[in-house]
């Protein structure tokens, strides 16, 4: 199978315009990791099932491993790196740290991105919606689910307009 021709794609990542020249069928995940050196989105199943690669596309959580690069042209991508403020963890990241909600940590970045997207929508998702989405889109086999839920509860408590 021949590779598709390379083209130049312009999109925004974490608030900055970026340009990537790559085959249009390259996944967003590989462009982020290889071309932009953003390693926060993890390579997991590469089939959109485990959630380790989750980023926000125009505010919505997506699995970047199954998102072709051409679909993000002129759109806004936020990675886990984009949640930091002045080099410090953002509020949701801080909740996860405070609750020690990562054991191996491989899936946590994706979980944080999904929760960020769900709490950032209008109206913000409630706890039930968040848990159902995480159950559907994320695999975590570390046994940190109780701590993850406590971190999420803290985030919900600090998000205006949310109900638990």
């Amino acid at each position: 199978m021949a590779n598709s021709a390379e083209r130049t794609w312009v999109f925004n990542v974490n608030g900055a315009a970026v340009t990537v020249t790559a085959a249009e069928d390259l996944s967003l995940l590989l462009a982020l990791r290889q071309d932009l050196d953003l390693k926060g989105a993890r390579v997991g199943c590469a089939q959109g099932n485990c959630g380790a690669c989750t980023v926000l596309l125009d505010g919505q959580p997506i699995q970047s491993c199954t998102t072709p690069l051409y679909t993000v042209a002129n759109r806004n991508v936020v990675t886990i790196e984009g949640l930091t403020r002045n080099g410090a963890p953002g509020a949701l990241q801080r909740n996860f740290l405070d609750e020690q909600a990562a054991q191996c940590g491989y899936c946590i970045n994706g979980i944080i991105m999904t929760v960020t997207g769900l709490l950032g929508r209008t109206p913000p998702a409630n706890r039930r919606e968040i848990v159902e989405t995480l159950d559907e889109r994320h695999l975590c086999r570390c046994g940190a689910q109780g701590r993850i839920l406590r971190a999420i509860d803290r985030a919900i408590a600090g998000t205006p307009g949310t109900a638990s």
Side-chain angles (χ1 to χ4, degrees):
M1 184 165 115
N3 291 335
S4 62
E6 287 193 348
R7 291 184 52 193
T8 298
W9 311 99
V10 178
F11 53 104
N12 292 311
V13 176
N14 301 331
V18 297
T19 302
V20 173
T21 299
E24 67 181 15
D25 61 351
L26 181 72
S27 72
L28 173 60
L29 175 62
L30 292 180
L32 292 169
R33 293 182 60 83
Q34 295 173 354
D35 295 285
L36 302 174
D37 201 30
L38 295 168
K39 308 293 188 191
R42 311 282 188 182
V43 178
C45 68
Q47 298 176 355
N49 296 321
C50 74
C53 66
T54 302
V55 299
L56 300 181
L57 179 62
D58 295 335
Q60 299 299 311
I62 63 157
Q63 277 62 57
S64 62
C65 70
T66 56
T67 302
L69 187 58
Y70 73 87
T71 65
V72 304
N74 302 312
R75 298 176 74 184
N76 297 304
V77 175
V78 176
T79 68
I80 191 83
E81 292 91 343
L83 299 183
T84 62
R85 298 292 174 253
N86 300 318
L92 183 57
Q93 293 168 303
R94 184 83 256 155
N95 290 340
F96 274 72
L97 290 169
D98 291 346
E99 292 294 339
Q100 299 181 6
Q103 190 163 327
C104 83
Y106 203 81
C107 64
I108 290 300
N109 292 351
I111 290 172
I112 289 172
M113 295 310 296
T114 293
V115 174
T116 297
L118 293 174
L119 291 178
R121 73 179 198 197
T122 304
N126 62 33
R127 188 181 199 270
R128 182 188 51 77
E129 293 171 299
I130 293 171
V131 170
E132 286 175 1
T133 300
L134 293 178
D135 190 40
E136 176 184 305
R137 294 187 188 173
H138 292 273
L139 293 176
C140 174
R141 296 191 171 132
C142 293
Q145 288 85 359
R147 290 175 285 174
I148 291 170
L149 291 175
R150 284 196 303 271
I152 291 169
D153 288 341
R154 290 173 71 155
I156 289 170
T159 303
T162 55
S164 53

